[in-house]
Amino acid sequence: DAKTTQPPSMDCAEGRAANLPCNHSTISGNEYVYWYRQIHSQGPQYIIHGLKNNETNEMASLIITEDRKSSTLILPHATLRDTAVYYCIVYPGSGNTGKLIFGQGTTLQVKP
Amino acid sequence: DAGVTQSPTHLIKTRGQQVTLRCSPKSGHDTVSWYQQALGQGPQFIFQYYEEEERQRGNFPDRFSGHQFPNYSSELNVNALLLGDSALYLCASSSPYLLAGSYEQYFGPGTRLTVT
């Protein structure tokens, strides 16, 4: 079972910041928080990941609470092309031998 | 640089038949994972191949089998197809050169399998 809880859906106005929350209250000390998104009819796409510090890349920012029990993915200026299902995944940080466990994700609808 | 490619794009099969799906990983990647995604659900892990061997398996019956070739490409085989096997089958590859904690999987576009 997925170790994360996300709201099933969210709306965001185009040009505004989209803030997608994720709860991972049972996260272990060596587990990372990963975010992927899946645009309709495409394979999932990696967005960002972090352990305990806030992270930023060209796509998004990831804010992790100090107790690491929750996080927020921020798309600073959402566009219509950001409409997708966003998955928050907890993954142990050692190597590439593991499987990604996807939950139901959050369907983000960006509206003009 | 080609990303992960999968073939065919769409496939229609009849119950009881067998199917083979193919995946070519991203250049430089040596690990291939397969996922099944039913309509409206998140992807579910089937198994992972590394060095031509199945390294980890999810909760799928033995009807699901796979293979990895020396060039790292992979096949997913499903025998005795059931209506419930209708889904999007995704292949993902990852790099052997990983920074600590880094585990980015690159997904292909998937193969849409319909069982009638």
Side-chain angles (χ1 to χ4, degrees):
Chain A
D1 291 339
K3 296 181 67 172
T4 61
T5 304
Q6 300 177 252
S9 63
M10 295 182 63
D11 290 342
C12 177
E14 188 178 20
R16 291 294 190 96
N19 296 281
L20 292 90
C22 179
N23 181 288
H24 32 79
S25 58
T26 62
I27 192 170
S28 300
N30 65 339
E31 291 180 319
Y32 286 68
V33 179
Y34 277 75
W35 284 83
Y36 282 75
R37 73 179 182 184
Q38 188 172 23
I39 296 170
H40 184 62
S41 297
Q42 298 182 22
Q45 175 191 25
Y46 165 83
I47 301 173
I48 197 168
H49 74 279
L51 181 62
K52 53 183 178 182
N53 298 321
N54 297 339
E55 302 288 345
T56 296
N57 63 19
E58 65 278 3
M59 289 184 67
S61 294
L62 174 60
I63 308 297
I64 302 174
T65 58
E66 192 169 344
D67 64 7
R68 302 209 325 120
K69 293 184 177 182
S70 66
S71 61
T72 301
L73 178 74
I74 301 172
L75 307 178
H77 306 286
T79 70
L80 298 178
R81 288 178 295 181
D82 292 321
T83 292
V85 179
Y86 287 77
Y87 296 100
C88 171
I89 299 168
V90 167
Y91 180 74
S94 56
N96 68 343
T97 60
K99 57 186 177 183
L100 294 176
I101 301 176
F102 290 82
Q104 300 281 58
T106 296
T107 299
L108 174 68
Q109 181 72 47
V110 180
K111 298 184 175 182
Chain B
D1 173 28
V4 178
T5 60
Q6 293 185 245
S7 63
T9 305
H10 296 86
L11 203 53
I12 299 174
K13 289 287 190 177
T14 304
R15 275 182 303 176
Q17 286 188 316
Q18 179 265 345
V19 69
T20 297
L21 311 181
R22 295 175 176 84
C23 170
S24 291
K26 181 178 170 64
S27 177
H29 287 186
D30 63 354
T31 302
V32 173
S33 301
W34 286 91
Y35 293 80
Q36 180 196 66
Q37 186 173 25
L39 200 60
Q41 304 295 317
Q44 300 297 307
F45 177 80
I46 302 175
F47 44 52
Q48 184 182 81
Y49 276 84
Y50 172 71
E51 292 188 341
E52 302 181 46
E53 291 193 356
E54 183 183 293
R55 181 160 66 178
Q56 188 168 170
R57 188 177 184 92
N59 188 26
F60 279 81
D62 292 344
R63 298 187 297 110
F64 290 77
S65 63
H67 187 77
Q68 186 179 36
F69 299 93
N71 66 353
Y72 308 124
S73 67
S74 177
E75 289 182 348
L76 164 66
N77 301 293
V78 186
N79 295 322
L81 285 167
L82 304 174
L83 295 179
D85 294 331
S86 295
L88 180 68
Y89 288 85
L90 295 159
C91 169
S93 71
S94 56
S95 169
Y97 306 110
L98 298 174
L99 299 175
S102 177
Y103 183 44
E104 301 170 30
Q105 282 196 318
Y106 292 78
F107 285 81
T111 293
R112 173 72 62 187
L113 173 64
T114 302
V115 182
T116 63

